[in-house]
Amino acid sequence: MNLETLRSEYKGEGIENLPADPHRGAEMWLEAALKTEAEATAFSLATHATDGRISVRVVLAKSIDAAGVTFYTNGLSLKGEQLDKSHVAAGVFFWPTMHRQLRFEGTVTRVSDKEADEYFASRPHASQVASAVSRQSTPLDAYASLLQRFEAARAEYAGKPVPRPPHWGGFIVAFERVEFWQGQPSRLHQRLLYTMQADGSYQRTWLEP
């Protein structure tokens, strides 16, 4: 298959006026993406094992704020185990309608149990049940067995709150390196890198496309 025929011409507004704080810039871009993109909160999360192997998957962000990007998952999953061991991650949002990418790298921390409890309680009941029964990333003999566990748990918790599993919680990826990528005609894309300094401020550097 010749993929060259699938090329599209990029065209986006300039990013010279992005704020000095990348957290605010990221919030602005997400707010715009929520108006145009089908899955604006989805981003690719990269983690690594102790042997150096890289794993990547798409997860949903629950917030972008002064702390960084927050998402929730099963802490016993492959990504959860890798994050708890390495404490670092990288991610990228891709918003094709706006011809934008937002790349970020940084240290990973856990959200508090209180925050995890509050968010878990806000989820749809069926999603709570699914989180309670899923043994994420472990081998499954047949999908039907998972459905059986799910239906049994849903019947058990019918009309009752589902307690948050102790292994289920949130992670925050700090903004230590953040790159704003804006597509431009002729592939002369704009790339602006923010690098955190020792005092918490950010150095801005233009990168060649």
Side-chain angles (χ1 to χ4, degrees):
M1 178 185 292
N2 181 5
L3 299 181
E4 185 66 20
T5 59
L6 300 179
R7 287 170 63 93
S8 60
E9 188 63 30
Y10 294 110
K11 184 177 181 181
E13 61 187 65
I15 59 175
E16 295 86 349
N17 296 323
L18 279 170
D21 182 356
H23 302 93
R24 181 54 192 145
E27 289 176 331
M28 292 167 56
W29 274 25
L30 178 58
E31 289 167 2
L34 288 170
K35 301 174 184 177
T36 62
E37 308 293 338
E39 290 287 352
T41 64
F43 71 95
S44 297
L45 173 73
T47 60
H48 73 86
T50 53
D51 63 1
R53 289 179 179 270
I54 304 298
S55 297
V56 64
R57 77 290 286 164
V58 176
V59 298
L60 300 180
K62 294 308 173 188
S63 67
I64 297 180
D65 53 29
V69 176
T70 300
F71 66 96
Y72 286 81
T73 189
N74 185 322
L76 300 180
S77 65
L78 177 64
K79 60 182 172 294
E81 292 180 350
Q82 291 181 344
L83 290 170
D84 279 334
K85 290 179 180 178
S86 71
H87 304 292
V88 293
V92 58
F93 290 91
F94 177 48
W95 297 307
T97 301
M98 301 187 299
H99 303 149
R100 286 176 175 175
Q101 295 182 63
L102 178 69
R103 299 177 56 240
F104 55 96
E105 306 167 10
T107 303
V108 176
T109 56
R110 286 257 195 173
V111 306
S112 68
D113 286 342
K114 181 176 181 296
E115 291 175 286
D117 287 340
E118 291 174 352
Y119 176 66
F120 189 81
S122 74
R123 304 180 78 210
H125 191 267
S127 295
Q128 294 176 346
V129 174
S131 295
V133 302
S134 174
R135 304 160 187 162
Q136 195 174 109
S137 299
T138 61
L140 180 64
D141 57 351
Y143 189 70
S145 63
L146 174 62
L147 291 178
Q148 290 174 355
R149 293 205 313 267
F150 173 76
E151 292 300 339
R154 185 156 64 171
E156 177 184 354
Y157 291 112
K160 298 185 294 185
V162 181
R164 177 179 66 88
H167 53 265
W168 191 94
F171 293 88
I172 305 170
V173 185
F175 276 2
E176 295 176 357
R177 285 171 56 89
V178 188
E179 180 190 327
F180 292 80
W181 184 101
Q182 177 67 68
Q184 295 293 338
S186 303
R187 297 299 192 264
L188 292 175
H189 309 310
Q190 290 186 321
R191 298 176 61 191
L192 188 54
L193 175 67
Y194 290 70
T195 306
M196 180 181 283
Q197 306 299 293
D199 63 358
S201 65
Y202 287 88
Q203 175 182 310
R204 299 193 344 160
T205 306
W206 285 97
L207 302 177
E208 297 255 354

